[in-house]
Amino acid sequence: MSWVSPELVPLAARLAPYARDSLAQAAALAARLHSEELSPEHWLAALLKDESCAATRAVLHAFADPETIGIEVQALCAGIMVVGSDRTLPFSVLGVEALHAARRRAVKRAAERVAPDDLFLAAHERLPGELRQRLRQLQGADPSAATTPSSPAATVLEAEGPLFRKYSSEALRALGASSRAAASLLRPAIGPAHLMLGALEVDEGLRERTGLTPLRVRMLSSGLDEDTTPLPARRLPGDRRLLELLDSLPAAAETLDVLGWMLAHGSEELTALLRRQKVTQALFERCRGAFRDPELPV
């Protein structure tokens, strides 16, 4: 499936085949991160996963670690994800649905912030049927008892705007705990079951009201915690900086040219990150012509 919007196709056609294919991989990454646009950061993060491309070979030439840099670059990407010191995990399709549903719950009860119980209930509604059945059969457990009574807030939460802006500190901590739970289970994304685990981890009152603990839910969800719902088909436009990048590259540009543009014109955060790893404009000049992308099979 192609994730690249039609408006990018003529610009991408000017690239050499390997670089063009890497742009498609970047769009797939942006889709997995639930981004609305494709950016230079998405492209670089995708390149750093490929040790065969010229850009990543130049990074290796600087004795830098592409995987470590890639984690930091992905943290700079636009998307819906949890950024940690050693990993960045996106949410699954149903995980994102649960995040929006949690905010709608908070709006409905006229709250000022999204709370862990909003996350818990929204996630519970999106669990596989078999897992919900297991939870219902657990003696002493009542997931529907998650909500705690609250008085209307002086400033009511808005239903639109940046998703996490009105999450409470406890709810944000629950997202971090959800990411750790998903990572410990070697899952590529944070799903509803992991959101439930995270909410229970940080909220003692939620554990008392529902009769559930992270350990009990983790045991019951064994083999059922991963959300494999496919991403919805869509085509991602490029952001302003990606359009500038594509427009300025020479004909038949390769991935090393892409890296060179980012070193010269990337965001302040991105260029500072690369400089810390000794990936500089001087390195690019030394590597120009020395490293080429592989030939794609005809």
Side-chain angles (χ1 to χ4, degrees):
M1 177 189 297
S2 174
W3 302 97
V4 177
S5 70
E7 70 185 49
L8 292 180
V9 172
L11 292 170
R14 299 174 55 247
L15 302 170
Y18 201 92
R20 187 163 60 247
D21 184 69
S22 73
L23 181 63
Q25 296 301 316
L29 172 62
R32 289 197 301 276
L33 298 180
H34 309 283
S35 178
E36 295 300 320
E37 294 181 314
L38 179 57
S39 71
E41 288 79 10
H42 291 121
W43 201 351
L44 182 56
L47 289 176
L48 291 168
K49 295 177 186 292
D50 176 13
E51 293 194 2
S52 296
C53 74
T56 302
R57 287 160 60 206
V59 170
L60 289 167
H61 187 68
F63 299 101
D65 179 20
E67 183 178 1
T68 299
I69 300 175
I71 291 171
E72 295 190 61
V73 172
Q74 188 163 313
L76 297 176
C77 293
I80 303 177
M81 55 194 167
V82 174
V83 176
S85 58
D86 56 348
R87 74 181 67 86
T88 296
L89 272 186
F91 292 89
S92 71
V93 170
L94 294 182
V96 170
E97 286 188 14
L99 295 175
H100 286 283
R103 182 168 64 177
R104 291 195 297 271
R105 280 184 171 275
V107 170
K108 187 175 181 179
R109 63 186 180 86
E112 185 175 1
R113 299 278 177 179
V114 176
D117 51 287
D118 296 311
L119 274 175
F120 178 92
L121 286 166
H124 180 264
E125 291 173 352
R126 288 157 179 81
L127 293 177
E130 183 180 347
L131 181 50
R132 289 202 306 272
Q133 180 67 19
R134 289 183 186 182
L135 290 171
R136 283 195 296 269
Q137 293 174 346
L138 184 62
Q139 186 175 9
D142 182 10
S144 65
T147 303
T148 180
S150 60
S151 302
T155 304
V156 177
L157 174 65
E158 296 180 357
E160 303 297 332
L163 181 57
F164 297 135
R165 179 174 293 173
K166 290 296 185 178
Y167 269 57
S168 68
S169 59
E170 293 82 4
L172 292 174
R173 285 173 49 225
L175 297 183
S178 302
S179 177
R180 291 191 295 274
S184 71
L185 292 164
L186 304 180
R187 301 310 187 195
I190 304 164
H194 311 128
L195 287 171
M196 286 185 64
L197 289 169
L200 289 167
E201 180 71 33
V202 304
D203 193 330
E204 181 180 359
L206 181 60
R207 298 194 295 272
E208 293 174 352
R209 291 191 300 275
T210 61
L212 294 170
T213 65
L215 179 59
R216 297 178 88 185
V217 172
R218 183 162 178 148
M219 291 175 62
L220 287 172
S221 63
S222 177
L224 296 172
D225 68 285
E226 186 175 9
D227 172 25
T228 58
T229 305
L231 291 165
R234 60 196 180 105
R235 299 295 185 99
L236 296 176
D239 69 7
R240 174 185 56 80
R241 292 170 306 124
L242 183 77
L243 295 176
E244 290 176 1
L245 191 170
L246 287 169
D247 189 58
S248 65
L249 289 175
E254 298 194 357
T255 63
L256 188 60
D257 298 302
V258 176
L259 177 63
W261 185 94
M262 294 185 192
L263 288 167
H265 306 289
S267 68
E268 183 177 344
E269 296 88 349
L270 180 61
T271 53
L273 186 167
L274 293 171
R275 283 198 302 271
R276 288 197 302 272
Q277 299 291 334
K278 312 302 183 186
V279 181
T280 63
Q281 189 71 27
L283 172 75
F284 166 71
E285 295 298 338
R286 290 197 304 273
C287 293
R288 196 202 299 262
F291 297 121
R292 300 293 303 275
D293 288 326
E295 294 287 339
L296 287 179
V298 178

